[in-house]
């Protein structure tokens, strides 16, 4: 989570460089294609190269929302990810300095339990 942010994008680059892991990214977007565009744009900004050669070989992009039940995914997609993912690196953050109190308060208590 959080791969479009500074920390998450840098961790992604390190994982691609130093490991042979398959990496699944949950990216908030309207579609998997739009999610790839978002992360690829950030990756290109920070590292001046594309993720295109890694797409669907080592990097798997999923359009979702960590604030939603089951990450905003269908039951089948969520269960598929549960079978494929060994570890979760959570670097998503709410970094605004202003906004609605309830939004900030609720993020503080966001947590997951895998069924």
């Amino acid at each position: 989570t959080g791969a479009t942010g500074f920390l998450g994008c840098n961790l992604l680059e390190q994982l691609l460089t130093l490991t042979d892991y398959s990496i699944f990214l949950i990216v908030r977007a309207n579609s998997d294609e739009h999610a790839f565009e978002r992360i690829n744009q950030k990756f290109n900004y920070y590292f001046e190269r594309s993720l295109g050669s890694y797409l669907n070989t080592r990097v798997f992009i999923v359009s979702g929302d960590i604030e939603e039940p089951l990450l905003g995914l269908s039951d089948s997609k969520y269960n598929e990810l549960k079978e494929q993912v060994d570890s979760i690196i959570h670097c998503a953050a709410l970094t605004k300095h202003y906004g609605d109190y309830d939004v900030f308060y609720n993020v503080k208590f966001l947590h997951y339990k895998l069924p």
Side-chain angles (χ1 to χ4, degrees):
T1 64
T4 59
F6 177 79
L7 175 61
C9 205
N10 277 274
L11 283 171
L12 172 60
E13 196 275 334
Q14 290 292 295
L15 288 169
L16 289 171
T17 301
L18 301 175
T19 75
D20 63 351
Y21 298 160
S22 293
I23 304 163
F24 295 83
L25 305 174
I26 304 287
V27 178
R28 189 178 355 217
N30 298 327
S31 67
D32 291 349
E33 293 78 18
H34 181 237
F36 174 72
E37 288 174 17
R38 286 193 63 214
I39 185 60
N40 194 49
Q41 181 180 29
K42 293 290 185 166
F43 196 81
N44 188 45
Y45 173 79
Y46 289 121
F47 305 107
E48 298 181 345
R49 65 182 206 261
S50 173
L51 287 171
S53 65
Y54 297 107
L55 186 60
N56 297 322
T57 58
R58 289 196 52 213
V59 174
F60 301 88
I61 311 293
V62 179
S63 173
D65 187 339
I66 65 168
E67 293 185 47
E68 296 294 324
L70 301 180
L71 306 174
L73 306 174
S74 67
D75 288 341
S76 61
K77 186 63 178 177
Y78 183 82
N79 287 325
E80 180 184 328
L81 282 177
K82 276 186 6 182
E83 296 298 318
Q84 295 174 311
V85 173
D86 295 325
S87 299
I88 297 171
I89 301 174
H90 178 52
C91 21
L94 182 60
T95 58
K96 296 181 196 177
H97 297 284
Y98 58 89
D100 185 67
Y101 174 81
D102 290 335
V103 172
F104 291 100
Y105 185 81
N106 288 333
V107 168
K108 177 179 167 185
F109 294 103
L110 185 66
H111 66 279
Y112 303 100
K113 289 185 180 178
L114 297 177

